[in-house]
Amino acid sequence: MDINALRTANPEHWSKAAAIRALTLDAVHAANSGHSGMPMGMADVATVLFEKHLKFDATAPNWPDRDRFILSAGHGSMLLYSLLHLTGYADMPIEEIKNFRQWGARTAGHPEYGHASGIETTTGPLGQGLSNAIGFAIAEEIQRARFGKKVVDHHTYVIAGDGCLMEGISQEAIGLAGRHQLGKLIVLWDNNNITIDGTVELSDRTNQAMRFKAAGWQVLEIDGHDPQAIDEALTKAKTGKKPTMIACKTHIALGHAAQDTSKGHGALTDPEQLAAAKQIYGWTTGPFVVPEDIKAAWEAIGARGAIARQDWENRLASLSERRRNEFSRAYARDVPKRFAATIRALKRQNSEAAPKVATRKSSEMVLEVINPIMSETVGGSADLTGSNNTKTGDMGVFDTDNRKGRYIYYGIREHGMAAAMNGMALHGGIRPYGGTFMCFTDYARPSMRLAALMKIPTVFVMTHDSIGLGEDGPTHQPVEHLAISRATPNTWVFRPADTVETAEAWELALSSKQTPSVLSLTRQSLPTVRLEHKQRNLSEQGAYVLADTVRKRQVILIATGSEVSIALEARDILEGQGIGTRVVSMPCMELFAEQDEAYRRKVLPAGPVRVGIEAAVRQGWDRWLLGERGREAKSAFIGMDSFGASAPAEELFEKFGITVEATVAKVKELLG
Amino acid sequence: MDINALRTANPEHWSKAAAIRALTLDAVHAANSGHSGMPMGMADVATVLFEKHLKFDATAPNWPDRDRFILSAGHGSMLLYSLLHLTGYADMPIEEIKNFRQWGARTAGHPEYGHASGIETTTGPLGQGLSNAIGFAIAEEIQRARFGKKVVDHHTYVIAGDGCLMEGISQEAIGLAGRHQLGKLIVLWDNNNITIDGTVELSDRTNQAMRFKAAGWQVLEIDGHDPQAIDEALTKAKTGKKPTMIACKTHIALGHAAQDTSKGHGALTDPEQLAAAKQIYGWTTGPFVVPEDIKAAWEAIGARGAIARQDWENRLASLSERRRNEFSRAYARDVPKRFAATIRALKRQNSEAAPKVATRKSSEMVLEVINPIMSETVGGSADLTGSNNTKTGDMGVFDTDNRKGRYIYYGIREHGMAAAMNGMALHGGIRPYGGTFMCFTDYARPSMRLAALMKIPTVFVMTHDSIGLGEDGPTHQPVEHLAISRATPNTWVFRPADTVETAEAWELALSSKQTPSVLSLTRQSLPTVRLEHKQRNLSEQGAYVLADTVRKRQVILIATGSEVSIALEARDILEGQGIGTRVVSMPCMELFAEQDEAYRRKVLPAGPVRVGIEAAVRQGWDRWLLGERGREAKSAFIGMDSFGASAPAEELFEKFGITVEATVAKVKELLG
């Protein structure tokens, strides 16, 4: 690598890119940890992208029509932080760079959404940013179709590394992007041939260009250190009808002693090597000091979009008030005015009609009334549309010839779906939801966790939520998945008992601004248990007394979802035998845990025996059975302590002892 | 589709294939559920494979050198069950077919490993079988290199559907297979262009042939209903140096009214349509009746391998006794004779030397002594070799020119790694283990669950197991992952406190015959806490008294892994203040839960206040704090109730309050 030739050929470009490299070296040195090589390798690509192509305005980082820049190779976070600092984002002063990876800094080890403007998504777990990007690009297409090109017309740029492309989720993402010809999606692959274990060839010899072409992409291959080549490729990429992958041949840790080695991937902190690299760059200022002219050049780049942004504001203002309000409302994640009334009407109607339906069907009934008034919802399923009941008549199917379509056939791609949904939520203006079988939350886990970590209200519609799935057997029967979702911070897990609770769950999920929701829904039909209409959303408190004792309170049965009706039937028998029994429905443990103690005590007072009923593992239940004034000797759990089996659902409930009879027997045993 | 032409062209082939189709229709009709279309579509391919290529002997289903047949598209389970019944597997009589999907039947909705001979792996969750197959093929290569071609020389055949190829894990699998030129792996793609939601084009337009070629595969494309073409393709596939994908163009639900539709994917139970299909097939016998001549032809196929198998037995017998014993021992999953003594010696040495090391390093120390005496171990990492410490000096690296190598660079493919490891364990003769960061158990979850469901002892080495990971931040810091693994039935989650407990955990993990293990290991250094050598494996009981009270017992501190030393330091302070304090180390909750009540009571008696300490979420701990004679008012938990943050590890423990001081303060608060 003749760096001198690079410097001489494009001195102005070089010095701007060198600023990224120098800041990266300084920040990693100060933190004594981090990843130096990737920002140093991709500095040229990023510089050309920001200087000549990316539509943004550093003074208005949340401008809805900005281009999105996603650093999927999130370990190279200093690339992003350097760019944000250099172009003048107000919340990325040099102090943040100096504070890289320290407590309270915006500059976390990996870019975290919400920490600073310009971080469009949280990355680090590989493949996620690339897969989010598919959602960003779909969101742009849908909104452009809806609001018109004059207010929505932007690109999504991604920098992805070898790790992103090796993760399986990348195949799901590029398959979807190719299928939908997301022409405004441009992926810059940092083709540096280095992973942590060594050269890429150690573990992979995939012809990535051929692979992307097979998925329907345009592929361009360039020298990632040649600013003209980068510029030309980006120009060409923007004109394509297909998504474009630009393979950028780069040298990791360019100019450092560790260049082109796996050591270069990590933290380069040796002071002498650091000094030597800076000398090669022609960088003479001290740590964290960017020469004024170079900073000014970068700030000009940061201001480059100001006029375009102002023009856009004017164009937005020219929309009708109604459309402008719709646009803003969706971005603010506010529900439409008629939302609460619509939910209430559905609740009333179902408390009166008391249908016996599966909660996956209840969910469809809710969506049938909500989707028409909430045009920002975008639904989908991982090839289980007719099973997840996620598609309503009004949505239309998103396709190359119907960009207004709000339903997406994600294919057999649970992980890619979850990541794409996160991308839509992050893009703004869209409320994504998508379905699969509850058991396959496993496939989507990494993205579900990131929704929680990023505080975005993605909705995961998980049907067939227990052994009630029946004959398909234990590979398809969740037993641990409620516990898994509940173990995850900032996640609401709703397991509604009937159509009314399902409506309440959807109301909370679609009103949420910062918390993702998992809707755990049955395959099998359930009776309506909420027969008395309440205006209030009772699920909002997480748990509530569904049926109280007639006689002296001796028993509390706590149940969720399909097991609430078992609790009610057991109560009838027990009350009939003179044993006062309360039934608590607990559709959302997380919300109940947030209630004050007075309310919790009212629902779960000390004294009575307690039996929890849920067709899943006990983990997570002890809090309500042994804690919250409960006692070990006076409580029990009826559920699963193994995987399920393949047989008709009714038989499985019988064989695994999740029945009215077992509940009554257990209560009597506890009463002694 | 001119079925009559197919029938006439190859009448004998046709009737054999028709037997599969008829049994499938009958079984699904009787069960009133299941998936008819796939077995009907792939019957021709399967018939030719079993008749002319698959090396097997129905009377010796576990013959180690048999070819392996994996039905990755597991929903088409009736294809497999039909083949096993027709070829005369003793445990697949017609009663099992009649009992399809019923309680207690071997014929579960999806094929389940262990239910019947000939089911090589559990499939249904898509992409898993295909990815297991990579492990089967690697296991064959390693064993062939080690024991010689005369005792190990077989193929791995896979039938995969569109769903398998759409799941991201498939890309990880085919990338690995291509990289390692697994020439004895042959994938038959059921290219029927139908998924549950409709035609494949709804969600995917990937050129699969190009995609597989990009990954280094040989690709053949054939008419999946032409027996000559199938035969020729299989013959060619077997001679290739690369893995082969044969794209078999088929018609789902061939010959049924639902042919070529997504309805055909599911349960075809309409009696008239069923009768019509049988008529088209020329099938005249009643339900579940296979004409004698056709059954006899199939049984001849089932007996075809008997001579080859006998020859193999003779060749095996010609091995030296030592080698024969090694071969058998590995297949029996028995540890070598010196195993226990080796572990004991290491324990003694470390109790005496009392090093301060990270448990990921302890794990390496164990592997350094075990791998040389346990030649069936095959290690690896998902591109974190130097971080997971999974590679020992003696292993050699598995590669195209070193098939004896026992270390695999899996690349950034956690999911593919986990599935491949399962495949090796299932193949037999190999004890696979592999590492990644604990946080990325998320990526591997579907395969980790299947290891538990299949009862195979795969070992998942999960390092960087808490906020102790430090600066990389919350995307890389597990907080819910211990709870997730513990929620999964039949899984041992070990969180050892030092080198001695790490050795004990490995001893249990590598002795396990039916339970997978998760080893949760630290990034950060820990002091040795087991300073007194014990011959016995104390971790085997899951929890034990590590340091008992000197004074009157007022407090029990229960901790795992990196928090055990916090508990010990807190105990020193409390005892110093006259407060009798016991420390219980709890490296494996699952094993402790299995102990009898007497032992559990001895470790956790009623009375003292209890504090649990673990740098993770509380879920799973209430059982030990509130239950097992514990009381709500007298117990507390010190751990995480949110995601982590990016900062140096020591600071994070401080900020999140997981410290000696916080423990002492909490105890005093509880003592009142």
Side-chain angles (χ1 to χ4, degrees):
Chain A
M1 202 67 227
D2 184 350
I3 290 180
N4 215 41
L6 290 178
R7 279 177 61 180
T8 337
N10 302 283
E12 287 183 23
H13 164 83
W14 177 265
S15 59
K16 284 196 284 284
I20 295 171
R21 295 185 170 110
L23 286 175
T24 297
L25 283 167
D26 290 339
V28 171
H29 179 259
N32 197 30
S33 81
H35 300 82
S36 315
M38 186 277 182
M40 292 161 71
M42 284 296 279
D44 296 306
V45 170
T47 299
V48 175
L49 173 64
F50 273 63
E51 179 171 7
K52 304 210 166 146
H53 296 275
L54 193 78
K55 180 171 78 168
F56 76 110
D57 176 354
T59 67
N62 298 318
W63 171 22
D65 199 34
R66 71 192 179 280
D67 286 344
R68 305 302 199 272
F69 172 65
I70 294 170
L71 186 70
S72 189
H75 54 277
S77 55
M78 269 309 302
L79 179 66
L80 179 55
Y81 302 150
S82 299
L83 289 162
L84 298 178
H85 168 67
L86 290 166
T87 55
Y89 279 72
D91 55 2
M92 195 57 74
I94 195 70
E95 289 68 34
E96 289 290 340
I97 306 292
K98 291 180 179 171
N99 227 4
F100 181 49
R101 294 181 150 236
Q102 303 310 304
W103 180 264
R106 295 197 182 98
T107 46
H110 294 80
E112 291 195 40
Y113 176 71
H115 278 216
S117 309
I119 302 175
E120 302 283 4
T121 179
T122 295
T123 51
L126 292 172
Q128 296 292 331
L130 171 61
S131 307
N132 294 155
I134 277 66
F136 277 90
I138 290 174
E140 196 268 350
E141 292 283 356
I142 291 176
Q143 292 194 318
R144 180 152 38 87
R146 183 163 171 228
F147 290 102
K149 200 172 165 168
K150 67 180 189 175
V151 289
V152 181
D153 188 17
H154 55 266
H155 284 85
T156 303
Y157 295 96
V158 180
I159 287 182
D162 291 301
C164 294
L165 301 198
M166 255 192 264
E167 290 287 0
I169 190 175
S170 67
Q171 185 64 27
E172 302 185 18
I174 71 173
L176 259 179
R179 165 63 185 81
H180 287 293
Q181 297 184 31
L182 300 175
K184 304 192 88 173
L185 172 64
I186 297 168
V187 172
L188 298 146
W189 169 34
D190 180 15
N191 179 15
N192 62 29
N193 195 32
I194 293 295
T195 73
I196 290 173
D197 276 355
T199 59
V200 169
E201 286 91 350
L202 269 185
S203 57
D204 192 47
R205 287 184 184 154
T206 300
N207 180 331
Q208 296 291 0
M210 197 193 290
R211 177 188 168 209
F212 275 76
K213 281 178 196 162
W217 286 56
Q218 167 174 235
V219 177
L220 308 173
E221 303 190 58
I222 60 165
D223 171 357
H225 300 300
D226 176 348
Q228 280 76 32
I230 299 164
D231 184 32
E232 283 165 25
L234 284 167
T235 302
K236 180 161 185 200
K238 288 196 287 190
T239 62
K241 295 224 160 171
K242 298 174 175 181
T244 300
M245 190 273 266
I246 306 177
C248 309
K249 192 82 208 74
T250 62
H251 295 272
I252 197 167
L254 183 91
H256 189 278
Q259 180 184 311
D260 298 325
T261 69
S262 57
K263 186 175 177 296
H265 173 92
L268 302 176
T269 53
D270 179 274
E272 282 176 29
Q273 291 181 344
L274 190 154
K278 284 193 177 176
Q279 194 167 24
I280 288 170
Y281 300 157
W283 195 262
T284 55
T285 55
F288 299 109
V289 178
V290 180
E292 269 180 37
D293 57 332
I294 298 176
K295 184 71 165 79
W298 268 113
E299 285 177 3
I301 293 171
R304 185 172 52 78
I307 290 164
R309 202 254 309 165
Q310 191 53 59
D311 288 350
W312 177 86
E313 303 275 6
N314 295 337
R315 291 197 300 275
L316 181 72
S318 75
L319 290 189
S320 72
E321 192 184 345
R322 193 187 58 79
R323 284 167 69 73
R324 217 165 52 233
N325 287 348
E326 269 295 286
F327 188 85
S328 311
R329 184 185 62 71
Y331 271 86
R333 291 185 184 146
D334 290 331
V335 294
K337 282 210 180 72
R338 284 178 295 162
F339 183 71
T342 304
I343 293 282
R344 278 201 301 271
L346 186 78
K347 282 170 59 180
R348 178 187 295 278
Q349 182 189 330
N350 277 279
S351 288
E352 284 166 5
K356 190 176 179 194
V357 292
T359 47
R360 62 182 169 130
K361 177 71 187 164
S362 304
S363 170
E364 184 180 26
M365 289 156 67
V366 179
L367 292 171
E368 289 282 8
V369 296
I370 288 302
N371 281 335
I373 65 162
M374 202 164 177
S375 51
E376 66 270 36
T377 54
V378 171
S381 165
D383 198 44
L384 290 167
T385 297
S387 297
N388 300 144
N389 300 62
T390 38
K391 187 167 181 287
T392 61
D394 61 304
M395 302 190 96
V397 173
F398 179 76
D399 209 332
T400 47
D401 58 2
N402 184 23
R403 295 310 206 190
K404 281 190 177 169
R406 288 159 55 202
Y407 191 80
I408 297 172
Y409 288 115
Y410 285 105
I412 300 104
R413 301 183 178 107
E414 300 82 6
H415 199 180
M417 173 177 76
M421 289 200 292
N422 286 350
M424 287 181 227
L426 289 160
H427 177 279
I430 301 279
R431 281 235 177 228
Y433 69 84
T436 184
F437 286 164
M438 179 94 182
C439 209
F440 302 142
T441 55
D442 281 353
Y443 281 80
R445 257 297 296 172
S447 301
M448 293 174 74
R449 179 180 209 254
L450 281 166
L453 180 60
M454 290 193 277
K455 299 182 183 162
I456 53 173
T458 314
V459 183
F460 303 96
V461 182
M462 300 309 193
T463 71
H464 298 62
D465 74 345
S466 77
I467 50 169
L469 165 130
E471 290 90 342
D472 272 349
T475 52
H476 288 54
Q477 289 163 357
V479 296
E480 72 273 44
H481 301 81
L482 285 164
I484 287 173
S485 292
R486 287 172 183 152
T488 311
N490 191 42
T491 301
W492 288 338
V493 183
F494 293 104
R495 192 160 189 259
D498 67 1
T499 307
V500 177
E501 281 194 2
T502 305
E504 291 181 339
W506 269 112
E507 180 172 28
L508 293 162
L510 292 176
S511 308
S512 169
K513 295 200 173 186
Q514 298 214 317
T515 301
S517 298
V518 176
L519 269 59
S520 168
L521 305 172
T522 65
R523 176 192 185 204
Q524 72 273 28
S525 290
L526 304 178
T528 297
V529 297
R530 284 277 292 280
L531 297 168
E532 188 190 343
H533 176 62
K534 300 274 186 191
Q535 294 270 78
R536 249 187 78 207
N537 185 324
L538 299 185
S539 302
E540 192 167 12
Q541 287 177 297
Y544 61 91
V545 178
L546 174 64
D548 213 347
T549 47
V550 178
R551 299 161 189 280
K552 174 170 172 287
R553 188 165 60 216
Q554 290 181 270
V555 181
I556 302 178
L557 302 177
I558 316 169
T560 74
S562 45
E563 285 67 69
V564 171
S565 59
I566 291 179
L568 288 173
E569 283 188 57
R571 173 180 173 274
D572 286 346
I573 293 173
L574 290 164
E575 288 276 353
Q577 298 177 0
I579 303 168
T581 303
R582 163 182 287 190
V583 171
V584 170
S585 180
M586 192 178 265
C588 182
M589 289 186 179
E590 297 75 29
L591 289 173
F592 186 59
E594 280 177 18
Q595 305 307 308
D596 61 25
E597 212 205 323
Y599 178 75
R600 298 200 321 271
R601 192 188 312 118
K602 217 172 87 183
V603 175
L604 297 179
V609 307
R610 290 187 192 175
V611 176
I613 319 170
E614 184 171 84
V617 299
R618 178 164 173 153
Q619 190 176 295
W621 274 87
D622 286 324
R623 175 168 187 178
W624 316 115
L625 297 175
L626 310 177
E628 296 284 326
R629 295 154 301 279
R631 284 165 54 198
E632 188 175 28
K634 295 182 71 176
S635 62
F637 178 69
I638 288 184
M640 298 292 293
D641 60 4
S642 68
F643 293 111
S646 174
E650 304 71 31
E651 192 171 2
L652 291 173
F653 278 93
E654 196 69 41
K655 297 284 187 189
F656 286 106
I658 304 170
T659 60
V660 174
E661 297 68 37
T663 305
V664 169
K666 185 59 79 180
V667 164
K668 291 191 176 171
E669 186 188 318
L670 290 171
L671 288 172
Chain B
M1 202 67 229
D2 185 350
I3 291 181
N4 216 38
L6 291 178
R7 279 176 62 180
T8 338
N10 302 284
E12 286 182 24
H13 164 83
W14 177 264
S15 59
K16 284 197 284 285
I20 296 171
R21 296 186 170 110
L23 285 175
T24 297
L25 284 167
D26 289 338
V28 171
H29 178 258
N32 198 28
S33 80
H35 300 82
S36 316
M38 188 274 182
M40 292 163 70
M42 283 296 277
D44 296 305
V45 170
T47 298
V48 175
L49 173 63
F50 272 62
E51 178 171 6
K52 304 209 168 148
H53 296 274
L54 192 78
K55 181 171 74 169
F56 76 111
D57 175 356
T59 68
N62 298 318
W63 171 22
D65 199 34
R66 71 191 180 280
D67 286 344
R68 305 303 197 271
F69 171 64
I70 294 170
L71 186 70
S72 189
H75 53 276
S77 55
M78 269 310 301
L79 178 66
L80 180 54
Y81 301 149
S82 299
L83 289 161
L84 298 178
H85 168 68
L86 289 166
T87 55
Y89 279 73
D91 56 1
M92 196 56 75
I94 195 71
E95 289 68 34
E96 288 291 340
I97 307 291
K98 290 181 181 171
N99 227 3
F100 181 49
R101 295 180 149 236
Q102 303 310 304
W103 179 264
R106 296 199 181 95
T107 45
H110 295 79
E112 292 196 41
Y113 177 71
H115 277 216
S117 308
I119 302 175
E120 303 284 4
T121 180
T122 295
T123 52
L126 292 173
Q128 296 291 331
L130 171 61
S131 307
N132 293 155
I134 277 65
F136 277 90
I138 289 174
E140 196 268 350
E141 292 282 358
I142 291 175
Q143 293 194 315
R144 180 152 38 87
R146 186 164 168 227
F147 290 101
K149 200 172 165 166
K150 67 179 185 176
V151 289
V152 182
D153 187 18
H154 55 265
H155 284 85
T156 303
Y157 295 95
V158 180
I159 286 182
D162 292 300
C164 294
L165 300 196
M166 256 193 261
E167 290 287 359
I169 191 174
S170 66
Q171 184 64 26
E172 303 185 19
I174 71 172
L176 259 179
R179 165 63 184 81
H180 287 294
Q181 296 183 29
L182 301 175
K184 304 192 86 173
L185 172 64
I186 297 168
V187 172
L188 298 146
W189 167 35
D190 179 14
N191 179 16
N192 63 28
N193 195 33
I194 293 295
T195 73
I196 291 174
D197 275 355
T199 58
V200 169
E201 285 92 350
L202 267 185
S203 55
D204 192 46
R205 288 184 182 154
T206 300
N207 181 331
Q208 297 291 0
M210 196 193 288
R211 177 188 168 207
F212 274 76
K213 282 179 195 160
W217 287 55
Q218 168 176 234
V219 176
L220 308 174
E221 303 189 58
I222 59 166
D223 171 357
H225 300 299
D226 176 348
Q228 280 77 33
I230 299 164
D231 183 32
E232 283 164 25
L234 284 167
T235 302
K236 180 162 185 198
K238 288 197 286 189
T239 64
K241 295 225 162 173
K242 299 175 174 181
T244 300
M245 189 273 264
I246 306 176
C248 309
K249 193 82 209 74
T250 61
H251 295 272
I252 197 168
L254 182 91
H256 189 278
Q259 180 185 310
D260 299 323
T261 69
S262 56
K263 184 171 179 297
H265 172 93
L268 302 177
T269 53
D270 180 274
E272 282 176 30
Q273 292 181 342
L274 191 154
K278 284 192 176 176
Q279 193 166 27
I280 288 171
Y281 300 158
W283 195 262
T284 54
T285 54
F288 298 109
V289 178
V290 180
E292 269 180 39
D293 57 331
I294 299 176
K295 184 71 165 75
W298 268 113
E299 285 176 6
I301 293 171
R304 185 172 52 79
I307 291 163
R309 201 253 308 164
Q310 191 53 57
D311 289 349
W312 177 87
E313 303 275 4
N314 295 336
R315 291 197 301 275
L316 181 72
S318 75
L319 290 188
S320 73
E321 191 184 343
R322 193 187 59 75
R323 282 168 70 74
R324 217 164 52 232
N325 287 347
E326 268 296 286
F327 187 85
S328 309
R329 184 184 63 71
Y331 271 86
R333 289 183 185 148
D334 289 331
V335 293
K337 280 210 182 71
R338 285 178 294 162
F339 184 70
T342 304
I343 293 281
R344 278 200 300 270
L346 186 78
K347 282 170 59 180
R348 178 186 295 277
Q349 183 189 328
N350 277 278
S351 288
E352 285 166 5
K356 190 176 179 193
V357 292
T359 47
R360 63 184 169 129
K361 176 71 185 162
S362 306
S363 170
E364 184 180 26
M365 291 156 66
V366 179
L367 292 171
E368 290 282 7
V369 297
I370 289 302
N371 280 335
I373 65 160
M374 202 164 176
S375 51
E376 65 270 34
T377 55
V378 171
S381 164
D383 199 46
L384 290 167
T385 297
S387 297
N388 300 144
N389 300 62
T390 38
K391 187 167 179 290
T392 61
D394 61 306
M395 302 191 96
V397 173
F398 179 77
D399 209 332
T400 48
D401 58 0
N402 184 24
R403 295 309 205 189
K404 281 190 179 169
R406 287 160 54 204
Y407 192 79
I408 297 172
Y409 288 115
Y410 286 104
I412 300 103
R413 302 183 178 108
E414 299 82 7
H415 199 179
M417 173 177 75
M421 290 200 292
N422 286 350
M424 287 181 228
L426 289 160
H427 177 278
I430 300 277
R431 279 236 178 228
Y433 69 83
T436 184
F437 286 163
M438 180 93 182
C439 209
F440 301 143
T441 56
D442 281 353
Y443 281 79
R445 256 298 294 172
S447 302
M448 293 174 74
R449 178 179 210 256
L450 281 167
L453 180 60
M454 290 193 276
K455 301 184 182 159
I456 53 172
T458 314
V459 183
F460 303 97
V461 182
M462 300 308 193
T463 72
H464 298 62
D465 74 344
S466 76
I467 51 169
L469 167 133
E471 291 91 340
D472 272 348
T475 52
H476 287 53
Q477 291 163 356
V479 297
E480 73 273 43
H481 299 81
L482 285 165
I484 286 173
S485 292
R486 288 172 183 152
T488 310
N490 190 42
T491 301
W492 289 339
V493 183
F494 293 103
R495 191 159 189 259
D498 67 1
T499 308
V500 177
E501 280 194 0
T502 305
E504 292 181 339
W506 269 112
E507 182 173 26
L508 293 162
L510 292 176
S511 309
S512 169
K513 295 200 173 186
Q514 298 214 317
T515 301
S517 298
V518 176
L519 270 60
S520 167
L521 305 171
T522 65
R523 176 193 185 204
Q524 72 274 26
S525 290
L526 304 179
T528 298
V529 298
R530 284 277 292 280
L531 297 167
E532 188 190 343
H533 176 61
K534 301 274 186 193
Q535 294 270 78
R536 250 187 76 208
N537 186 323
L538 299 185
S539 302
E540 193 168 10
Q541 287 177 297
Y544 61 92
V545 178
L546 173 65
D548 212 347
T549 46
V550 178
R551 299 161 188 280
K552 175 172 172 289
R553 189 165 59 216
Q554 291 182 270
V555 180
I556 302 177
L557 303 176
I558 316 169
T560 74
S562 46
E563 285 67 71
V564 171
S565 59
I566 292 178
L568 287 172
E569 283 189 57
R571 172 179 174 274
D572 287 348
I573 293 173
L574 291 164
E575 288 276 353
Q577 297 177 2
I579 302 168
T581 302
R582 163 182 286 190
V583 171
V584 170
S585 180
M586 192 178 265
C588 183
M589 290 186 178
E590 297 76 28
L591 288 173
F592 186 59
E594 281 177 18
Q595 305 307 307
D596 60 25
E597 212 204 324
Y599 179 75
R600 299 201 321 271
R601 192 188 312 121
K602 217 172 89 182
V603 176
L604 297 179
V609 306
R610 289 187 193 175
V611 176
I613 320 170
E614 183 171 84
V617 298
R618 178 166 176 152
Q619 190 178 296
W621 273 88
D622 286 323
R623 175 169 186 178
W624 316 115
L625 298 174
L626 310 177
E628 294 286 324
R629 297 153 300 279
R631 283 165 53 198
E632 187 174 29
K634 294 183 71 176
S635 64
F637 179 70
I638 289 185
M640 300 291 294
D641 60 4
S642 69
F643 293 112
S646 174
E650 306 72 33
E651 192 170 1
L652 291 174
F653 278 93
E654 198 69 44
K655 297 285 187 191
F656 286 105
I658 304 170
T659 62
V660 175
E661 297 68 38
T663 305
V664 170
K666 185 57 79 180
V667 164
K668 291 192 174 170
E669 187 187 318
L670 290 172
L671 288 172

